[in-house]
Amino acid sequence: AAKDGGRGRYHFYAADLHSDAEERRQLEEELRDAVAHGGLELYYQPVVQTATERITGFEALLRWHHPQHGFISPAKFIPIAEDTGLIAAIGEWALRTACQDLAQWPQDVRVAVNVSPLQFANPALPTIVTSALAHAGVEPERLELEITESVFLNNDEGTDQMFKQLKSIGVRLALDDFGTGYSSLGYLRSAPFDKIKIDQSFVRGATQPGSRNGAIIASIVSLAEALGMETTAEGVETLDELDLVRMLGCSHVQGYIYERPLSAVNAAARLSTGLVAVAQGPRSARASR
Ligand code: C2E
Ligand code: MG
Ligand code: MG
Ligand code: MG
């Protein structure tokens, strides 16, 4: 079409735009259907304590198995869910499902659930969280809510109130993807986080010579420690990365080096083989690859 000159090019792009909008509208409809008819699933990625190499919890991660397109990444459908308001239903479903799965697991295991900024802005969130916990019969301190820095974009009284209410329920709060958003250290003064999750973009490349990422990770760890918060290094894929984040003092590690996200059934099976995550297992397994 580009060879046709100006007019042809116009038509080419117009058709393209149309199909993008069309595809999105279609996905939106199918997502609505998936929410209503059980087309979503939660996968669970182990979170490992560095000091003990034990699985102390799992992060719940949404999966959508689309009937035609196969697996669609949450990175693609969460934004659609946020634009269309579907995130409210999806978020509530995720909280309820994660609590129900958690109820089947040992007492000393936690689950972390991602909470979208739009859910965080909903005054009903504390009620939804309380109800999910009560319905599943799990203690609030076993549930961790992962929140990104973007909730501070419109930092107002509502934000403060929400933090207070969630803390008073007794759930744990984690600051997700730290360092990638509009990071202002000011909010760490008052926001009651139990944990900072160091974004995988800092882990990636950290072992390369000349990388500044290690220095950044070290300073996040020392900040977190001074504030009495734990740290999880996200997206740890290699043995070198694992050694580095351990050396830098991250209290927890999450990444393919240990385990990819697992179905609820496989997560439970993983726990029943013993809580020790690796001892030397994956190290040697990985090294021999
Ligand atoms: P996130 O909360 O930062 O989750 C971590 C992402 O890193 C997950 O991607 C996980 O599968 C991936 N990951 C873990 N270890 C490794 C690793 O070693 N290497 C690499 N390359 N990646 C690793 P996933 O599952 O595709 O989720 C993407 C994002 O979608 C999440 O980022 C989160 O922002 C969002 N999301 C997922 N589930 C939910 C949910 O239930 N609610 C909301 N609001 N957002 C969700
Ligand atoms: Mg997360
Ligand atoms: Mg993250
Ligand atoms: Mg992320």
Side-chain angles (χ1 to χ4, degrees), residues 73 98 158 229:
S73 163
M229 301 171 187

Side-chain angles (χ1 to χ4, degrees), residues 140-157:
E141 54 278 8
R142 296 180 66 200
L143 176 65
E144 189 166 83
L145 303 180
E146 295 196 1
I147 293 153
T148 59
E149 290 162 321
S150 50
V151 302
F152 297 103
L153 275 179
N154 20 352
N155 201 355
D156 55 14
E157 210 132 297

Side-chain angles (χ1 to χ4, degrees), residues 154-232:
N154 20 352
N155 201 355
D156 55 14
E157 210 132 297
T159 312
D160 269 7
Q161 269 307 109
M162 184 57 75
F163 276 115
K164 287 208 180 82
Q165 286 183 273
L166 293 174
K167 265 336 273 184
S168 76
I169 294 171
V171 295
R172 287 166 51 96
L173 299 173
L175 181 53
D176 203 359
D177 304 343
F178 183 72
T180 62
Y182 288 87
S183 318
S184 148
L185 295 180
Y187 58 68
L188 289 178
R189 226 182 350 241
S190 52
F193 291 108
D194 300 282
K195 172 181 270 190
I196 294 178
K197 299 194 76 178
I198 301 170
D199 190 69
Q200 57 176 281
S201 58
F202 296 112
V203 173
R204 202 70 57 243
T207 54
Q208 247 86 90
S211 171
R212 297 179 164 195
N213 286 358
I216 294 171
I217 295 171
S219 72
I220 297 173
V221 169
S222 97
L223 177 66
E225 279 177 355
L227 296 172
M229 301 171 187
E230 298 177 336
T231 44
T232 296

Side-chain angles (χ1 to χ4, degrees), residues 30-62:
E30 289 163 341
L31 183 55
R32 210 174 285 278
D33 189 66
V35 175
H37 300 108
L40 297 179
E41 193 178 351
L42 281 182
Y43 266 51
Y44 295 94
Q45 186 177 35
V47 178
V48 176
Q49 187 173 41
T50 41
T52 58
E53 293 206 297
R54 286 164 66 95
I55 297 173
T56 52
F58 294 93
E59 178 176 5
L61 295 159
L62 274 167

Side-chain angles (χ1 to χ4, degrees), residues 80-142:
I80 298 178
E82 287 178 331
D83 285 354
T84 55
L86 272 172
I87 191 68
I90 293 177
E92 183 166 351
W93 175 84
L95 277 165
R96 291 187 177 282
T97 305
C99 287
Q100 280 158 22
D101 288 335
L102 181 61
Q104 312 299 313
W105 299 338
Q107 225 17 65
D108 58 353
V109 170
R110 294 198 167 101
V111 76
V113 178
N114 290 283
V115 171
S116 147
L118 286 173
Q119 291 174 268
F120 194 83
N122 177 2
L125 180 64
T127 312
I128 292 168
V129 169
T130 310
S131 155
L133 289 165
H135 193 258
V138 299
E139 295 71 23
E141 54 278 8
R142 296 180 66 200

